[in-house]
Amino acid sequence: MENKKGAGMKLNLNLNLTKKNIPILSSIGIFLLLYVVGGLFFNGFFSIGVFSNLFYDNAFLGVLAVGMTLVIISGGIDLSVGSVIGFTCTFIAYLVEVKQMNPVLAMFLSLVIGTTAGTLMGFLIHNFKLPAFLVTLVGMFLFRGLAYQVSLESIPIRNELFLEMSQVGLFEYNGRTLFPMASLIFIFMVMLGVYMSHFRKFGRNIYAIGGSEPSAVLMGLPVGRTKIMVYAFSGFCSALGGIVYTFYLQSGYALAGVGMELNVIAAVVIGGTLLTGGAGFIEGTLVGVLILGLIDTILNFYGQLSSWWFRIFIGLLLFLFILLQTWLTRSNIFLKYAMKQQQKRNDAAKGLQETSQHS
Amino acid sequence: MFKNENVRKLLWPAVALLVILLFNVFFTENFLNIEVKDGHLFGSLIDILNRGAPVLIISIGMTLVYATGGIDLSVGSVIAISGAVAAQLIRPGYIHGILEYPDPPTSLFVVIGVPLLICAIAGAWNGVLVAFVGIQPIIATLILMVAGRGIAQLVTEGQIPVFIHEPFQFLGGGFLMGVPFPVIVSILLIAAVYFLTRRTSLGLFIESSGGNPIASRYMGIKSRLIVLSTYVFCALCAGLAGLIICSDIKAADANNAGLFLELDAIAAVIIGGTMWGGRFTLAGSVIGALIIQSITTTILAFGIPPEVTLVFKALVIIIVSLIQSEGIQDAINTWKTKRAQA
Amino acid sequence: MVQSELLEIRGLSKSFPGVRALTDVDFSLKSGEIHALLGENGAGKSTLIKTLTGVYKKDAGKVFFDGKEFEAHSPAHAGQNGISTVYQEVNLIPGLSVAENIYLGREPMKYGNIDWKQMRAGAQKALAKLRIKLDVNQELSSCSIAIQQMVSIARALDVSAKVLILDEPTSSLDEGEVASLFEVMRNLRSQGIAIVFITHFLDQVYEICDRITVLRNSKLVGVFNVNELSKVDLVTHMLGKELDEESRKSHKKDGQSAGDVFMELKDVVASGLGQMNLKVRKGEVLGFAGLLGSGRTEVAEILFGIRKPLSGELLLNGKKTNLKNPRNAISHGIAFCPEDRRREGIIADLSVRENIILAIQARRGIFRTMSRKEQQRIVDKYIEELKIATPDAEQKVQFLSGGNQQKVILARWLASNPKFLILDEPTRGIDVGVKLDIQDLVGALSEEGMAVLFISSELEEVLRSSERVLVLRDRNIVDELTGEDINGAKVMHTIAEGSTDV
């Protein structure tokens, strides 16, 4: 009898694993496939330099994606991230170069602005029940416009402290800094995201709200506060992503990050987060970001395919993953039904056994 | 005050437009002047209409999509595709470094027809994903928004083909009886859409499908087909706007053509008072588009960089949507219900 | 069993715009009892629960809980104070694990982090109290509804519930699951927990409950001990007073005079419904009698092509037909006024005129538009005939009262001149005057040769209007009554006992 119960449980677990993890498993599969294909076709693809660059070139994307993942899990969307990057870049470059401000202070200020803007958007979304895409679309307009307001021209950054900071890295290899500051921030934010989403009430409440907001309200969870905080965090991530991008560009440019929100959303979705909210992993988003990076790297190695193929591939992958999600949530109904029928009998029998055992 | 609700709803957008125009009358020199040069009309007002034509045309398409409870984020990319295809048809060798035009020159019919056909296919793609596969509109159109610009760049291979094609250039730069041709195109389009939606039952069915899809299904309305057709139409509008832009600058810039135009169109629709999934007003969207364009023109006239207009547009959209938001609307509705029942 | 008043509600009233949902209702609950709260649609059960648990704010009345006056500000607040509700559509988060669902919002913490180990152990323990053993790591959505309810109960108990409200917990459970649930309920009762049990299965009431409170039309009918109340009496209390035979319509024809069969179901089986046979005749009012959840709406949905039969035949005018979708049904002259008019009936943003002409227009297609004059003529006609109270035809329908919205939907279908009109709860939430109007109208329509299916929670109404009544019980058609057999006693007996023999 003990045996039988164990078997039933195992079956459940297996079904669970596949159902919940199909998207993230596919992401990991695609990543490995791309990596191996790249390695087989191109010399030097498997080098540590390429691997390190994967984390460097996509650091800003990754930082944004951490915030975006939480927003999407909560059932919302943030279209303002690309513009916040553009604003932050221009703002920092302007303060440091034109106003001769200490770069640390400039970065701090931009983080404050990003977080405040996120809080404000969250407030509008929650308190006035405005659609998230609309409010963040306005944020997108606003920050792009503000970036232009700060400076129409590109401002190169020559501040030594700033340049030094961007060069701090994990270790040197062949005279190159591997995993410089930008990558470290990226990795730190992913770890922070994983920690928050698994071990903090805040993180778990995000899942609950995305899973079913009415239920979350009935359970007495702090829905409003959590939603506003999610957008605030995304605003913080956007500003931090802007800082990372400034490290990368070493200049400020108002057009920086145009269309970036789409790459970020694509990375999150390709990483296996459900666009309807309630399910997803920061770990998956990391894989999604790396997939985007790999596609870019492969296109660079190949050389003949031009940059626009990047957009088309991303669009295609996005499409496939959205179809996969739709199919999964759809077929859920059938799957659930079949499982329910089967489990109904199991559970009833089990429940009865339990009760008879105890009484 | 105004008995007809449709008229009453237009009041505030109209007042807003009037205020912007009045502001210009006082602070911009020669704002109201309309001159005739070489038999063509010139002046700030004409300029607003002419420059505003692409936004106006897209917002007409967006209005219908919005009324079905959807949104089309891909219009900017579709604009880029349509321009790129048109340029490629006019000067197919350009991207390979061949500067000659085909002989005889590509016929106007092809230059306009083929891009529009491709745009219709793009719209059908969006529509099928939304209406038949059941993906949320923001997400479904996001795919084409991402990939579409890539497709446009693929067509032009990342270059900016410039061309000369007299008949085609008339579309964006010509004058008919002194009036800029884009203005005439948009007026004709508005008239046609008005006729098609308000003189037939199409408009009612669109509003019904957007307002309550279940009830519409129970009444035997083919909601899915109607939703699909609004996405096709919206993409066609974007295609037309793309052709006008491309014809006006005599070049196809796949990277920048139509950038942020989806936001202008959405703003115009919202300012005009069309409800998300419900009642739409073409006149409102026209006024909305004119407001958006007037803001741009005004700011230009003041020597402020045009890019900064985004800030003003953002403020206008958020104020209007706050006024329309549930919180504030609920209060108004309760008051209205009380009055209606009294 | 300890018997003391744990919860007492006195004179509770609550109204919504245009509707009185609760009128001066009293309710009392003792520790260690299972108390059934019964009533039909719109009787006020759910309003009572929601007012008690702080979803709604009460208009008048007092609640005493544990000897003190108590007012819940929110369901969460009620829960913290010991009043928890388990809903039929379980209000948990399907995508999270069982353990998390029990502990969400009050997770055990260690060094400022969530202590998953302790959470799992605690969840295991909370479920063990209900004598349930399952893997608390599994996703809630992979559990059956029965288990999900158990998880919900475990959560409620773990927040230290003294009062547990079970809102139709058994409607999607099979027999074995119901048995386990009852086992748990008995167990909780013996621990002194007070349980409010809402259900529409009368057998279950008699199996497990101690007392019954019946509500009808927002008012308290009475409180009864289960062993002192017969099932027939209970149904009588729920559905209305013993019916006066004289009140039946004088102009009503008897069952024999009805016309040809318009629509027929032969051995039809659909998911969630037993095998059934039924005939709809031209010029006849067919009534469905049965409690909420007996399958009334589901059968109507088959007749309108919303629900597909799994097997069996559907005949229209004697010809086998497959109703693919509502549009298809409409083309055969069938019309359907759904039960939930806000969700499935009105288009809130459109005007009264547009809402009325939509169905005709949908049939005519996009291009054969009616002239404004023609529309106005139709709309004016129905506004006058149905006495729709609206300032004018251009008023948005969302600003009308519930009763008038219902009339607009009726007008919509009447204007399209159907052969067969299905009315699912057409008088729900409508005041008495309008109810009578609609009943009269139904009679008049059938005289003109239209077949009408009349579904209502109010038995009196069904009996008054119908020439033939089908009795539904537990998702099956159990009896057909015609002529003199249509009387309250007979129907109530059938609903209560499920058999035809009196």
Side-chain angles (χ1 to χ4, degrees):
Chain A
M1 182 171 155
E2 198 56 48
N3 218 346
K4 225 170 99 190
K5 216 180 284 168
M9 227 147 73
K10 208 168 178 187
L11 181 74
N12 278 343
L13 213 70
N14 283 344
L15 273 172
N16 265 336
L17 267 178
T18 42
K19 197 183 76 175
K20 195 172 179 178
N21 297 336
I22 284 175
I24 190 171
L25 288 178
S26 338
S27 319
I28 295 174
I30 288 175
F31 175 76
L32 291 179
L33 186 79
L34 284 174
Y35 198 62
V36 169
V37 166
L40 291 180
F41 276 84
F42 309 114
N43 285 332
F45 195 83
F46 281 143
S47 73
I48 186 151
V50 169
F51 192 72
S52 155
N53 275 348
L54 217 46
F55 283 84
Y56 179 58
D57 295 338
N58 302 293
F60 58 98
L61 188 69
V63 173
L64 295 186
V66 170
M68 183 71 86
T69 308
L70 295 186
V71 171
I72 291 181
I73 290 176
S74 82
I77 196 138
D78 188 351
L79 297 177
S80 72
V81 294
S83 294
V84 176
I85 278 208
F87 171 76
T88 308
C89 277
T90 325
F91 189 59
I92 290 177
Y94 174 78
L95 289 183
V96 171
E97 291 301 320
V98 181
K99 295 281 168 192
Q100 298 297 323
M101 189 184 271
N102 184 309
V104 179
L105 188 60
M107 287 181 219
F108 177 75
L109 271 181
S110 61
L111 285 178
V112 169
I113 293 177
T115 315
T116 313
T119 314
L120 197 66
M121 289 192 284
F123 175 77
L124 290 176
I125 291 165
H126 178 73
N127 290 51
F128 291 90
K129 297 196 180 85
L130 291 174
F133 80 88
L134 188 70
V135 173
T136 55
L137 201 65
V138 168
M140 179 176 174
F141 265 119
L142 194 69
F143 275 98
R144 189 64 66 191
L146 287 176
Y148 285 121
Q149 176 73 57
V150 171
S151 167
L152 285 175
E153 274 90 45
S154 171
I155 309 173
I157 299 181
R158 295 188 191 81
N159 184 295
E160 273 177 31
L161 178 60
F162 185 88
L163 296 181
E164 249 171 59
M165 276 169 67
S166 70
Q167 288 308 315
V168 177
L170 203 56
F171 54 88
E172 301 260 324
Y173 176 80
N174 280 354
R176 277 186 54 198
T177 315
L178 291 182
F179 292 97
M181 188 61 131
S183 320
L184 296 181
I185 293 178
F186 170 31
I187 294 166
F188 172 76
M189 287 309 285
V190 168
M191 292 191 323
L192 180 69
V194 169
Y195 167 70
M196 282 206 304
S197 63
H198 287 292
F199 295 104
R200 301 299 300 188
K201 283 188 179 191
F202 169 62
R204 301 318 295 173
N205 289 345
I206 296 173
Y207 281 86
I209 291 169
S212 165
E213 195 172 323
S215 292
V217 172
L218 282 179
M219 285 172 140
L221 303 181
V223 171
R225 202 180 66 203
T226 307
K227 271 170 84 177
I228 293 172
M229 272 169 69
V230 165
Y231 286 96
F233 181 70
S234 178
F236 173 82
C237 285
S238 308
L240 190 61
I243 293 173
V244 169
Y245 201 47
T246 320
F247 281 148
Y248 185 77
L249 285 183
Q250 307 202 329
S251 68
Y253 172 43
L255 262 176
V258 168
M260 186 57 64
E261 53 281 343
L262 305 176
N263 291 357
V264 176
I265 293 170
V268 173
V269 172
I270 292 170
T273 296
L274 216 59
L275 266 168
T276 43
F281 305 99
I282 301 279
E283 297 90 320
T285 297
L286 171 65
V287 179
V289 170
L290 293 182
I291 288 179
L292 256 59
L294 265 186
I295 293 177
D296 203 26
T297 312
I298 289 177
L299 289 177
N300 279 335
F301 263 87
Y302 189 63
Q304 277 170 308
L305 280 181
S306 321
S307 63
W308 46 87
W309 280 105
F310 180 71
R311 284 175 179 280
I312 297 176
F313 278 134
I314 301 301
L316 201 68
L317 264 184
L318 193 60
F319 171 66
L320 289 178
F321 269 83
I322 288 170
L323 268 196
L324 178 73
Q325 286 185 3
T326 316
W327 175 73
L328 277 177
T329 35
R330 258 324 142 66
S331 63
N332 245 356
I333 302 162
F334 301 108
L335 198 87
K336 263 188 199 156
Y337 183 70
M339 279 171 49
K340 213 163 80 189
Q341 294 307 320
Q342 185 206 333
Q343 265 195 337
K344 253 185 187 178
R345 284 170 227 124
N346 289 354
D347 288 341
K350 212 152 86 184
L352 282 178
Q353 277 166 16
E354 300 291 345
T355 37
S356 55
Q357 257 175 17
H358 284 76
S359 50
Chain B
M1 190 160 50
F2 289 95
K3 244 198 138 158
N4 189 330
E5 168 159 6
N6 297 336
V7 177
R8 201 172 47 214
K9 261 176 111 175
L10 290 180
L11 185 65
W12 286 113
V15 167
L17 180 60
L18 216 67
V19 167
I20 296 171
L21 294 181
L22 272 179
F23 178 86
N24 276 298
V25 170
F26 287 114
F27 295 98
T28 314
E29 272 177 56
N30 303 328
F31 183 74
L32 289 178
N33 283 10
I34 295 179
E35 295 171 41
V36 183
K37 280 184 201 159
D38 314 327
H40 299 162
L41 292 175
F42 280 101
S44 299
L45 286 176
I46 298 295
D47 196 55
I48 288 178
L49 289 175
N50 192 10
R51 299 271 153 236
V55 179
L56 192 55
I57 289 170
I58 301 167
S59 47
I60 296 297
M62 190 71 83
T63 304
L64 302 187
V65 169
Y66 206 72
T68 65
I71 194 154
D72 187 352
L73 294 180
S74 72
V75 285
S77 294
V78 173
I79 285 171
I81 293 178
S82 117
V85 172
Q88 176 66 11
L89 287 168
I90 293 174
R91 217 173 177 185
Y94 186 87
I95 52 175
H96 304 302
I98 305 162
L99 298 180
E100 281 80 30
Y101 290 86
D103 189 41
T106 323
S107 84
L108 184 63
F109 182 71
V110 172
V111 175
I112 291 178
V114 173
L116 287 184
L117 185 71
I118 291 173
C119 292
I121 294 170
W125 161 272
N126 284 335
V128 166
L129 289 186
V130 171
F132 290 88
V133 184
I135 300 174
Q136 305 141 270
I138 312 169
I139 308 304
T141 55
L142 189 70
I143 298 171
L144 198 58
M145 186 185 185
V146 176
R149 212 164 273 284
I151 293 171
Q153 286 170 324
L154 180 68
V155 172
T156 62
E157 300 222 343
Q159 304 180 43
I160 302 179
V162 288
F163 56 81
I164 296 171
H165 189 291
E166 293 282 350
F168 179 59
Q169 272 159 242
F170 190 78
L171 180 64
F175 288 82
L176 191 67
M177 293 179 296
V179 183
F181 196 61
V183 179
I184 293 178
V185 171
S186 25
I187 291 172
L188 285 179
L189 182 82
I190 293 164
V193 175
Y194 178 80
F195 183 82
L196 206 70
T197 54
R198 292 308 185 198
R199 293 291 145 203
T200 73
S201 307
L202 187 60
L204 189 58
F205 289 171
I206 288 174
E207 290 169 338
S208 162
S209 306
N212 192 336
I214 302 178
S216 303
R217 200 168 95 86
Y218 285 3
M219 282 185 276
I221 295 171
K222 290 182 180 167
S223 304
R224 287 175 167 193
L225 256 161
I226 285 172
V227 171
L228 170 67
S229 65
T230 60
Y231 281 91
V232 173
F233 177 71
C234 187
L236 278 174
C237 287
L240 183 59
L243 290 178
I244 289 177
I245 293 171
C246 166
S247 139
D248 185 32
I249 61 172
K250 303 176 198 69
D253 183 354
N255 221 353
N256 293 314
L259 202 62
F260 295 132
L261 224 53
E262 59 271 356
L263 307 180
D264 282 5
I266 293 167
V269 172
I270 294 174
I271 292 169
T274 292
M275 304 304 282
W276 200 37
R279 182 76 81 191
F280 69 84
T281 146
L282 292 174
S285 298
V286 171
I287 295 178
L290 291 179
I291 289 178
I292 292 286
Q293 191 56 44
S294 311
I295 293 176
T296 313
T297 309
T298 308
I299 285 169
L300 269 177
F302 274 78
I304 301 170
E307 291 84 356
V308 181
T309 52
L310 287 170
V311 176
F312 290 88
K313 289 177 194 166
L315 292 177
V316 171
I317 299 177
I318 200 69
I319 290 168
V320 173
S321 24
L322 272 178
I323 293 172
Q324 293 180 352
S325 76
E326 259 180 64
I328 293 165
Q329 280 301 311
D330 276 355
I332 299 173
N333 284 356
T334 337
W335 179 71
K336 274 192 183 168
T337 313
K338 268 187 196 153
R339 216 179 48 162
Q341 285 178 351
Chain C
M1 267 180 247
V2 194
Q3 298 273 321
S4 60
E5 298 288 341
L6 177 65
L7 178 77
E8 190 155 3
I9 296 174
R10 281 188 218 139
L12 194 66
S13 292
K14 170 79 196 168
S15 52
F16 301 103
V19 193
R20 290 217 73 161
L22 283 178
T23 316
D24 199 17
V25 169
D26 297 337
F27 180 76
S28 78
L29 190 63
K30 297 180 171 117
S31 306
E33 77 163 338
I34 299 178
H35 193 129
L37 181 59
L38 303 178
E40 279 291 87
N41 259 348
K45 288 173 301 185
S46 67
T47 311
L48 178 63
I49 297 307
K50 286 184 172 161
T51 314
L52 173 63
T53 55
V55 179
Y56 302 142
K57 217 172 141 56
K58 62 182 185 236
D59 293 347
K62 281 188 170 154
V63 177
F64 295 93
F65 178 54
D66 238 354
K68 286 188 288 279
E69 194 168 347
F70 173 74
E71 183 167 0
H73 308 303
S74 69
H77 178 241
Q80 282 149 16
N81 285 279
I83 304 178
S84 290
T85 314
V86 174
Y87 293 94
Q88 178 193 354
E89 65 294 359
V90 186
N91 273 293
L92 296 174
I93 315 292
L96 298 181
S97 74
V98 169
E100 258 198 292
N101 268 296
I102 294 178
Y103 278 106
L104 256 177
R106 34 184 212 96
E107 294 93 339
M109 305 297 273
K110 197 175 173 184
Y111 311 123
N113 298 327
I114 294 173
D115 186 350
W116 284 93
K117 216 169 143 189
Q118 202 193 324
M119 190 198 286
R120 286 186 203 114
Q124 207 72 265
K125 229 163 115 201
L127 286 168
K129 275 189 199 156
L130 301 178
R131 299 176 183 174
I132 304 253
K133 214 180 209 174
L134 79 159
D135 176 14
V136 294
N137 281 325
Q138 66 178 310
E139 212 177 303
L140 186 78
S141 64
S142 70
C143 302
S144 66
I145 299 288
I147 293 294
Q148 293 191 20
Q149 280 174 351
M150 292 296 177
V151 173
S152 194
I153 292 173
R155 178 183 168 91
L157 293 176
D158 212 60
V159 194
S160 71
K162 292 179 194 141
V163 172
L164 191 59
I165 301 164
L166 303 178
D167 189 356
E168 301 214 13
T170 55
S171 43
S172 38
L173 307 188
D174 66 20
E175 275 174 44
E177 290 167 335
V178 170
S180 330
L181 176 67
F182 282 3
E183 194 58 46
V184 168
M185 285 167 68
R186 289 198 187 96
N187 182 15
L188 294 176
R189 169 167 62 185
S190 67
Q191 291 167 24
I193 288 170
I195 298 175
V196 179
F197 182 49
I198 300 173
T199 184
H200 49 257
F201 296 107
L202 299 188
D203 295 342
Q204 293 178 357
V205 172
Y206 282 86
E207 189 182 337
I208 193 155
C209 294
D210 304 305
R211 288 198 298 165
I212 302 173
T213 291
V214 179
L215 300 179
R216 191 177 70 238
N217 278 337
S218 88
K219 293 191 189 75
L220 176 70
V221 175
V223 185
F224 312 93
N225 285 324
V226 167
N227 44 25
E228 291 165 9
L229 184 71
S230 74
K231 271 190 198 174
V232 174
D233 287 344
L234 173 58
V235 173
T236 313
H237 286 310
M238 286 169 68
L239 296 182
K241 57 181 182 297
E242 196 62 67
L243 294 166
D244 181 5
E245 289 305 308
E246 305 305 311
S247 77
R248 290 190 61 193
K249 286 227 185 105
S250 50
H251 70 260
K252 220 173 72 176
K253 306 160 286 187
D254 65 37
Q256 306 307 317
S257 66
D260 304 334
V261 174
F262 173 72
M263 196 173 188
E264 187 175 357
L265 295 184
K266 260 193 191 164
D267 301 332
V268 163
V269 179
S271 69
L273 291 172
Q275 192 178 37
M276 65 185 77
N277 288 290
L278 76 85
K279 285 182 181 135
V280 179
R281 293 202 178 86
K282 288 173 187 162
E284 170 196 58
V285 181
L286 175 66
F288 274 6
L291 297 175
L292 186 67
S294 60
R296 303 176 308 204
T297 300
E298 287 79 356
V299 176
E301 286 177 351
I302 291 179
L303 299 178
F304 194 58
I306 299 170
R307 223 170 242 267
K308 306 264 177 331
L310 298 173
S311 67
E313 290 184 347
L314 188 150
L315 303 175
L316 262 170
N317 289 319
K319 263 190 296 187
K320 196 180 168 208
T321 315
N322 175 21
L323 291 180
K324 290 191 287 278
N325 49 39
R327 189 179 164 78
N328 195 216
I330 291 167
S331 71
H332 286 106
I334 304 169
F336 176 56
C337 289
E339 182 181 1
D340 187 343
R341 52 179 168 258
R342 204 151 258 292
R343 219 173 64 83
E344 300 170 343
I346 60 164
I347 316 266
D349 209 27
L350 298 188
S351 69
V352 171
R353 170 179 60 82
E354 287 161 319
N355 266 283
I356 291 178
I357 59 121
L358 253 172
I360 320 178
Q361 194 58 62
R363 221 154 132 183
R364 294 171 63 126
I366 290 173
F367 296 103
R368 284 178 53 224
T369 308
M370 284 181 288
S371 72
R372 189 61 179 257
K373 227 176 172 177
E374 203 182 338
Q375 295 182 16
Q376 204 62 49
R377 188 184 56 76
I378 293 171
V379 172
D380 287 345
K381 177 181 156 205
Y382 284 103
I383 287 182
E384 200 192 312
E385 238 174 57
L386 301 181
K387 305 188 196 100
I388 299 175
T390 171
D392 61 79
E394 298 309 313
Q395 179 75 28
K396 273 191 191 182
V397 79
Q398 60 176 314
F399 299 129
L400 265 53
S401 69
N404 284 304
Q405 288 179 357
Q406 185 65 47
K407 287 176 174 176
V408 168
I409 301 172
L410 260 173
R412 171 195 293 168
W413 288 116
L414 294 180
S416 77
N417 201 15
K419 294 182 191 129
F420 174 32
L421 178 63
I422 304 170
L423 300 170
D424 192 0
E425 296 270 12
T427 61
R428 179 165 160 195
I430 292 181
D431 38 281
V432 185
V434 183
K435 277 183 184 172
L436 290 174
D437 289 352
I438 290 180
Q439 288 169 25
D440 288 340
L441 182 75
V442 166
L445 289 172
S446 76
E447 303 251 289
E448 289 166 22
M450 193 187 292
V452 179
L453 171 58
F454 193 89
I455 305 175
S456 171
S457 285
E458 283 175 57
L459 189 56
E460 191 179 341
E461 212 175 62
V462 176
L463 299 185
R464 265 169 55 99
S465 328
S466 313
E467 291 153 52
R468 202 153 58 86
V469 172
L470 295 179
V471 183
L472 283 88
R473 186 181 196 267
D474 296 343
R475 308 188 153 247
N476 275 302
I477 297 173
V478 292
D479 204 1
E480 176 175 333
L481 306 173
T482 48
E484 289 307 306
D485 278 347
I486 304 183
N487 62 64
K490 174 114 185 163
V491 173
M492 287 184 192
H493 188 270
T494 314
I495 292 175
E497 307 293 345
S499 67
T500 30
D501 317 326
V502 183

